[in-house]
Amino acid sequence: MSTSNRSKKNGVNTVTISTPGAGAAAGSRTPTAQPSVPPILHLSDLPGPLSMNLLAELGTIHKLDETCAYWSEHANTLYGRASIMSAIAPFGTVACTRTAAWVWLGGGDFPDTIDVISTSHFRAAVAGRRIRVFKRLTLPEQIMKIGDLVITTPARTACDLVMAPENGPDPSVANTLVCQLMSAYEFRPNDCLQIIREHRHHKYAARAKEFFNAVQREINDSATERYA
């Protein structure tokens, strides 16, 4: 059984996932779980494109484009998804929004864009995906590190999803992701409202405040009916 521990280094929360091994019983240090193979498979690693297509048809890999893919098995765990994304996201960026949601939740298709918080511009696509940059204030307590990936916390990810531009994905999809994040990581609308207060000058802060207030009212009404 794997276990996860949180620590803080240089102001960034870090998640370490470890798996007991044979040496653990003898008192040795528990090794950190690492994928046994690189998270991204490149076409140059195979005899040719037919090999990649066959592996995709068998479900062993998920193709990102015609030149690279990720191992399906890695996408089944939080650490594995973080390893996949850290191999794709530009160095020195913070994974956010839909990209962060995929890492935290898994399931579904790989994001159509690589969403990151950064002050840089990235014109070249990576793994067939456009790098979508958000220049947003990010407080140290709102980011974490999973392996080599720096990522927004689940609560901050939920806020970013609600404060996404109007030309973003279907709002119902974002709302579903927010609810899944709240359920999986057990944070409440008030946690998000606190983050929004810290970003009250954001263009869509008012919309996000209204959304989380509505969710909180639903929770309060449900509790009232339960104990009535």
Side-chain angles (χ1 to χ4, degrees):
M1 178 180 297
S2 63
T3 59
S4 61
N5 301 295
R6 295 187 179 185
S7 60
K8 182 171 286 189
K9 183 178 181 180
N10 296 329
V12 178
N13 292 309
T14 303
V15 176
T16 301
I17 301 176
S18 57
T19 304
S28 61
R29 186 174 61 182
T30 303
T32 299
Q34 296 280 352
S36 57
V37 295
I40 300 298
L41 177 69
H42 296 277
L43 185 59
S44 58
D45 300 323
L46 298 169
L50 292 179
S51 299
M52 179 171 285
N53 291 336
L54 177 59
L55 289 172
E57 290 175 4
L58 294 174
T60 305
I61 62 173
H62 287 280
K63 293 174 65 175
L64 292 168
D65 59 15
E66 294 304 315
T67 65
C68 64
Y70 62 87
W71 298 94
S72 302
E73 184 178 355
H74 290 174
N76 293 333
T77 67
L78 173 62
Y79 189 91
R81 292 189 296 274
S83 298
I84 293 168
M85 199 58 70
S86 67
I88 297 174
F91 178 78
T93 63
V94 179
C96 67
T97 320
R98 294 289 296 277
T99 296
W102 183 81
V103 173
W104 288 119
L105 297 172
D109 296 329
F110 192 87
D112 293 332
T113 58
I114 306 300
D115 299 339
V116 297
I117 296 174
S118 177
T119 57
S120 301
H121 294 280
F122 304 95
R123 295 184 178 180
V126 178
R129 267 72 175 172
R130 176 173 64 90
I131 306 297
R132 189 165 63 151
V133 176
F134 296 89
K135 296 181 179 180
R136 293 176 176 171
L137 171 68
T138 309
L139 301 179
E141 60 268 23
Q142 294 169 8
I143 60 175
M144 301 183 71
K145 191 173 184 182
I146 308 174
D148 293 326
L149 180 71
V150 182
I151 184 173
T152 52
T153 63
R156 172 60 192 265
T157 300
C159 293
D160 286 343
L161 286 167
V162 178
M163 292 192 293
E166 292 179 341
N167 61 351
D170 185 347
S172 65
V173 174
N175 293 352
T176 299
L177 290 173
V178 169
C179 293
Q180 290 175 344
L181 284 165
M182 292 178 65
S183 175
Y185 294 97
E186 300 181 344
F187 59 91
R188 301 182 64 81
N190 284 336
D191 298 319
C192 294
L193 288 169
Q194 176 58 40
I195 294 174
I196 292 168
R197 280 192 288 271
E198 295 165 351
H199 300 80
R200 59 186 178 275
H201 300 300
H202 188 281
K203 181 177 180 180
Y204 299 109
R207 183 181 68 190
K209 180 179 178 181
E210 181 180 350
F211 173 86
F212 287 110
N213 276 329
V215 175
Q216 186 62 58
R217 284 194 297 269
E218 290 183 9
I219 293 175
N220 293 342
D221 291 345
S222 177
T224 299
E225 292 176 2
R226 187 182 305 121
Y227 295 107

